[in-house]
Structure formats: C-alpha cells, structure tokens
Amino acid sequence: MNDDISIIWGRVEQLFKHKYQTMYWIEVYNDRFDDTYNFFFYAKEKFGRQRSIPLHTVKDYHLEHLEGIIDELKKRTQLTIKFGGFDKLYWPKSQKLIQRKASEVE
Amino acid sequence: MDYDFKNEPHGVYFLIDNKSFYASVEASMRGKNPLNTCLVVMSEQENTNGGLILATSPEVKRRFHLKANVSRQRDLPIDDDILVVPPRMNLYIERNLEINNIFRRFVADEDLLPYSIDESILDLTHSWRLFGNSPREVAEKIMDIVHEELGLYLTIGIGDNPVQSKLALDNFAKKDPSRIGEIHYQTVPETIWKIPEITDVWGIGSRTAKHLSRIHIHNMDELAHTDPFVLTAEMGLMGAQLFATAWGVDRSNLRKQHKPKEASLGNSQVLPRDYRNQVEIETVIKEIGEQVASRLRHHHRKAGVISLGIGFSYASSQDTGRSGFHKSRTVEPTDSDKEIVEYLISMFEELWQHETIRNIAVYTGRLSANTGQQLDIFKDPEEQIKEQKSEYILDDIRKRFGFTSLIYARSLTAGGTAINRANLVGGHNGGNAYE
C-alpha cells in the first residue's frame, strides 16, 4: 500500500498547481474489466479545457486496501475524491456507502 | 462486362477495427462509455507545437463536427464537455494484444494477421461454423465478448477475401448502426461501385484519384469497366491492382506472410524547435545514432549501410528551395555506437551548409546477423574488444534500470532530446523505446 500511496501522492503534488480559478479533483474508478482501481487527477481552468491525467493503477484489488489508500489520501489533501463503478458497495472498515450517486464520475 | 468469380478464392474474412481505439481505451479506464463520452487523446510533447490530437471519441466527432483526422489542438473547440487526456502508448499496445488474444479463440494463429495497432484481419474460412449459423452471427459474438471483457466496441467488415472485408469495414461498417458491413462477390456492383467518393476507397489517395480522373475515371463503377490493359499501360502494376480492387478481387493468402527483401532499422524525430547550432544538431544526430545502434545490438544485427536524412525548417526550405538532404554510405557491417555516429557526423558535415533544421532521420540497411566481432587489423585488438564490451554493458544497464539510468553528459546540453524522449513510444508518452 505504501508504494501505491507514495506514487499517487507524488503525482498529485506535481500536478496540483493551486492555480487561480481552476478546479481540481481526483477520480477513482473501479475497473471490473482489469480488476484494478484506476486513479485520475482532474483539472479544469475556468475558460480552459478539462484535463484528466492518470495518477496510478492500483492492482491489489481489495476494498480494504483501497480504503487504506483513500484514508491516507484524505489525511494529506482536501481535494474532492469522486468514485465510479462502486454502485452499492460499502467500505469494509467504516461500513459507509462508497459512492452515493449512481455515478459520480460521469 | 462481366467477371467470372468462379476461380477466385472464396473464404470468410473479417477485418476488425477498434472504434476510436485510443479514445475508447481511455474512456473505459475512466468508467465512461466510449461511444457517448467527449474525450480527446492529445499528445503535448515539446515538438508537437502546442498539442497533437491522436484520437477523438465518436461523440466529439459528431457534436463538434470534427473530421476523423483533426490533428492540431487549435482546431479543437474549448468546451466544458470535452475531456482532454494524455496518451499512454504502452497501454494501447497491451490492449491490442488482449484483443488479439480474444480473436485467437475464433481462429488459429496462422489465420490471424494484426494489421495495425487497432486493426486485425481474421481468416474464418475454416472455423466460423464452430461459432454460429452465419458469419454475421460470429461477428456479433466477437463484438459482444470484446465489449464484455474489455468494455470496447468493435467495427467489423466481412468479405469473401481480405480486400472486400477492408472495403466493407471502411465504407459500410463504420456508417452502419450495427457496426458490421458486408461485401461479397455477388454484391460488388451495389456496394463497391456505389462508393460515392473514389478517395474513400482503400489504396486510392488524392494523387491516384487525380491520375484516374485524367483518364476519365471518376468512380469505382467506371474503374471496374475500364479495360485493364489500358489501366496497366497508363499506371503500370498499380493499374491492374486498382482494377482488381474495383471488382473486389484479392488473391492474397494470409498464411503466406510477405517478407521484405531487405529489412532496415532506423529512427527519426521532429525537433522541438529549429536547430541552427552545429553542436546542438550533432548532439541529436549522436543520440539518434546511438539509439539505432542499441536497437541493432538488441536485434543481434549489424548494418552494412548507414543513412542520414536531414529536413530543413520551413523557412530554410523556402530560402534554399530544398527541403533537406539525404545521404547513404556503405560501410563494414557494424553495430558500434562510436562507428555509426562517426559515419553520421561525417556525412552531416559534408553536406550541411548552415541551414536551420527541424527533422533528423537515421536509417541502417543491409542488415546481417551479428556472428561475432570483426577485428580491424589496423587497431589495437584489446582496445576494440573492450569498446564493444562496454557498449553491451551499457545496453544491459539500460535494459535493467531504464534508459536514463546512464546517459552521456552531452545529452544534458541545450540541444539534447534523448532524456525527454526516453519514455516515448512512437514519439508519444508511454514506455521504453530502446528495444
């Protein structure tokens, strides 16, 4: 897990440029085709294009593992984290619903 | 005029294309539907002049009326709905292999020919009956499996031979909601002959179209009804080839793979800006030369011909009236960094007259198997062996730890591009290009 979080965090730090009038957020997609969790960094300037840059693909396909990564990320950043592909799934530790809307990433 | 198809090969061929492949892979990785997401894959390398569009999803093409090949970011509107993503070439190669592995469930290895990164030709003549009641049913099955397992959408052209399947794919499947197109010998008149634009036909570009129009051929119907001897007299072998295409005739055999008479190996690059300074230009020539030498060693080959191609910048070619120069030299077979770079630099210095340049290509030909080191009688043998060993060690270290683990200090100077390009595949983001 440490590897995953350090890769993701290293890239977030590089990409999060704190620019004026720019929205930043992270998206995590539950990729059932590859059995991976795909992390992406999003940035959208007010009059610019929306960009999505791959952060990392987590290959350890267990929700416990992902929950650990997300908890750690939330300690380090206040960026919004959106989830997709986790319909009706609950976090194993906190027992909270992972994504509230049918799809947060659309 | 009638054509007797009786003796032509009759088979069942599929030409399968991945719909907007790069864009679809990126969409599926993000949990978005490849068909209705506005997604653009854009390479923003230093030498792309702001951004080069590699792929657009079908929805972007539809909503913003973009042609398939919009290539510059300035042609792309700024819109909140468009999502721009960087390319990941290695991921696409990996996906292509996965897709071809799915195809292997339907055909034997020798009946599958990957044609490009997103197209494959399948000869299902011997196996389609195992999977359905008609070729179309089998095509639907392949589409469903790929969608189920990888989330991607395919487009399939079906024909009695490879060229029919290619035309069915390009001219019919891509426009049909079922994403399947079919051409057979008996449907040639209502399919191939009815293709509205002659340049939409595979193998006919604008120059060929112009040539054809000079002999009063403006569509496939007219082409099919022209005397093949007239076509051959006018256009040579290509004339006969075009005539065959117009009748949907193709006698190629997938199992007999075409082997080029002479293999060659090389690399080229567009420079990120105009280069004027000799030292800078020679730094890049040296880097490309070393990359080519390293690839020769990787393939256990030695080159008997070294070529250098230089393209001038737009302004320079306007001034000089030349677009660049090209020179080849026959040499003692070699795979050595030092020798290859020496040849290249001497060819460059011989021909360069201080033009500004934008393009460098290094190619090697007349490749022979590397059966051992040929020592030069005029040089110290110990020294020669040591030199070769050090190059192999360099390759080994780079193979294990990546290209940038060990680079020449010269690559850190102003003109060097090697470090920046080390992770590119085909000039775009993603992977090790030194193999």
Side-chain angles (χ1 to χ4, degrees):
Chain A
M1 181 185 102
N2 290 336
D3 267 0
D4 287 328
I5 188 79
S6 66
I7 292 170
I8 294 169
W9 184 244
R11 292 181 183 158
V12 168
E13 276 194 311
Q14 221 175 25
L15 294 166
F16 185 26
K17 300 221 161 70
H18 304 266
K19 269 201 209 156
Y20 182 61
Q21 289 200 323
T22 302
M23 281 198 297
Y24 296 97
W25 70 98
I26 293 170
E27 286 188 5
V28 184
Y29 176 62
N30 178 14
D31 183 348
R32 293 171 205 216
F33 299 117
D34 299 300
D35 289 347
T36 56
Y37 302 115
N38 306 337
F39 280 70
F40 296 93
F41 185 86
Y42 281 70
K44 165 86 180 75
E45 283 176 45
K46 194 172 179 191
F47 298 107
R49 296 198 175 99
Q50 184 180 183
R51 282 165 201 280
S52 158
I53 299 134
L55 286 173
H56 186 46
T57 301
V58 176
K59 296 209 166 97
D60 185 345
Y61 192 57
H62 294 97
L63 280 177
E64 295 82 11
H65 180 70
L66 183 67
E67 190 173 17
I69 295 175
I70 298 296
D71 286 349
E72 183 58 37
L73 259 183
K74 282 186 174 162
K75 273 186 219 155
R76 296 184 191 193
T77 177
Q78 292 190 318
L79 285 173
T80 306
I81 303 176
K82 296 182 182 180
F83 295 92
F86 295 91
D87 302 3
K88 296 182 189 143
L89 288 176
Y90 288 83
W91 287 120
K93 214 165 67 192
S94 68
Q95 283 301 309
K96 284 184 187 156
L97 201 58
I98 298 179
Q99 67 181 68
R100 282 178 215 119
K101 281 186 270 174
S103 181
E104 296 180 354
V105 301
E106 277 300 317
Chain B
M1 185 161 58
D2 243 345
Y3 194 109
D4 184 7
F5 294 118
K6 208 172 60 209
N7 296 321
E8 296 298 336
H10 283 65
V12 175
Y13 287 85
F14 284 11
L15 214 147
I16 308 186
D17 164 276
N18 288 280
K19 206 160 178 56
S20 304
F21 184 46
Y22 298 172
S24 296
V25 172
E26 291 296 345
S28 77
M29 293 292 281
R30 287 169 174 76
K32 300 179 193 296
N33 185 326
L35 295 185
N36 55 31
T37 304
C38 283
L39 188 144
V40 171
V41 182
M42 199 191 290
S43 180
E44 290 176 290
Q45 292 304 320
E46 235 192 304
N47 65 351
T48 56
N49 205 357
L52 198 64
I53 296 173
L54 300 185
T56 48
S57 67
E59 184 65 10
V60 175
K61 286 183 193 124
R62 192 185 65 82
R63 273 185 48 189
F64 301 97
H65 309 290
L66 297 182
K67 291 254 171 65
N69 290 323
V70 168
S71 59
R72 295 291 174 178
Q73 65 98 18
R74 59 173 177 263
D75 301 324
L76 182 74
I78 292 184
D79 189 285
D80 285 354
D81 287 345
I82 297 180
L83 183 60
V84 175
V85 311
R88 289 184 279 177
M89 301 306 280
N90 282 336
L91 173 68
Y92 312 145
I93 294 172
E94 210 176 281
R95 274 286 184 276
N96 172 265
L97 294 176
E98 285 175 75
I99 292 167
N100 277 303
N101 281 338
I102 293 178
F103 296 161
R104 284 195 176 87
R105 296 180 205 164
F106 293 85
V107 290
D109 278 356
E110 56 269 36
D111 292 329
L112 170 71
L113 181 73
Y115 185 62
S116 67
I117 183 118
D118 68 344
E119 284 189 357
S120 292
I121 307 176
L122 278 67
D123 178 358
L124 279 121
T125 312
H126 310 288
S127 55
W128 72 267
R129 283 185 186 82
L130 298 170
F131 305 102
N133 295 318
S134 68
R136 186 174 268 267
E137 207 181 297
V138 181
E140 283 164 356
K141 197 173 253 177
I142 296 177
M143 284 171 141
D144 288 348
I145 291 181
V146 169
H147 184 244
E148 218 168 86
E149 294 186 14
L150 301 171
L152 301 173
Y153 291 92
L154 300 178
T155 316
I156 302 186
I158 304 174
D160 296 337
N161 60 35
V163 81
Q164 287 177 6
S165 62
K166 175 70 180 158
L167 297 179
L169 173 77
D170 290 348
N171 303 94
F172 301 100
K174 288 183 179 170
K175 290 165 194 149
D176 197 288
S178 71
R179 301 194 310 280
I180 296 178
E182 283 191 63
I183 295 179
H184 303 283
Y185 286 112
Q186 61 275 22
T187 62
V188 165
E190 61 262 32
T191 52
I192 298 179
W193 298 356
K194 294 277 187 306
I195 294 172
E197 282 292 327
I198 197 162
T199 46
D200 287 345
V201 175
W202 174 75
I204 302 184
S206 59
R207 284 173 66 104
T208 310
K210 259 188 211 153
H211 195 165
L212 287 169
S213 95
R214 281 204 296 275
I215 50 173
H216 311 293
I217 297 171
H218 305 96
N219 55 48
M220 292 307 274
D221 195 340
E222 286 169 3
L223 180 62
H225 295 93
T226 305
D227 185 340
F229 294 103
V230 172
L231 280 170
T232 317
E234 177 69 28
M235 309 179 83
L237 196 60
M238 269 313 289
Q241 177 85 50
L242 290 172
F243 182 76
T245 304
W247 283 90
V249 167
D250 180 359
R251 297 171 186 163
S252 56
N253 183 346
L254 288 197
R255 292 189 178 197
K256 277 193 203 145
Q257 294 221 358
H258 171 73
K259 278 213 180 87
K261 268 190 206 150
E262 275 260 344
S264 80
L265 206 152
N267 282 85
S268 66
Q269 58 172 276
V270 177
L271 299 168
R273 56 181 165 80
D274 290 351
Y275 276 44
R276 289 184 189 81
N277 180 319
Q278 183 169 354
V279 178
E280 282 186 358
I281 300 170
E282 289 181 359
T283 300
V284 183
I285 294 179
K286 178 172 176 283
E287 287 175 347
I288 303 178
E290 282 160 3
Q291 184 185 8
V292 172
S294 157
R295 290 181 59 204
L296 282 170
R297 294 193 292 273
H298 180 84
H299 292 279
H300 306 288
R301 288 280 180 277
K302 287 190 173 195
V305 173
I306 315 273
S307 318
L308 174 72
I310 297 288
F312 298 154
S313 69
Y314 180 72
S316 221
S317 55
Q318 294 283 306
D319 293 346
T320 58
R322 296 192 303 154
S323 59
F325 58 81
H326 183 270
K327 183 159 173 82
S328 294
R329 183 172 287 174
T330 309
V331 298
E332 280 295 317
T334 178
D335 63 359
S336 140
D337 280 358
K338 202 173 150 216
E339 286 176 20
I340 290 176
V341 171
E342 271 172 16
Y343 291 129
L344 291 169
I345 298 288
S346 83
M347 286 191 274
F348 175 70
E349 288 178 355
E350 196 181 306
L351 291 171
W352 184 60
Q353 287 164 343
H354 301 276
E355 295 93 347
T356 45
I357 71 163
R358 200 57 191 259
N359 225 309
I360 299 178
V362 171
Y363 279 87
T364 57
R366 222 173 281 170
L367 304 186
S368 54
N370 180 5
T371 47
Q373 189 178 9
Q374 176 66 53
L375 294 177
D376 185 337
I377 195 167
F378 300 108
K379 289 183 196 156
D380 175 12
E382 299 281 335
E383 198 60 37
Q384 291 179 57
I385 293 167
K386 207 171 131 194
E387 217 164 76
Q388 192 186 35
K389 262 193 187 158
S390 77
E391 280 174 359
Y392 279 96
I393 290 170
L394 184 69
D395 289 344
D396 255 5
I397 293 174
R398 284 176 171 173
K399 203 168 167 189
R400 282 175 61 188
F401 303 107
F403 173 76
T404 46
S405 59
L406 207 55
I407 50 163
Y408 290 99
R410 193 167 176 180
S411 290
L412 286 169
T413 59
T417 61
I419 300 171
N420 199 17
R421 292 181 67 89
N423 289 319
L424 308 186
V425 175
H428 306 297
N429 184 32
N432 189 351
Y434 284 77
E435 288 185 349

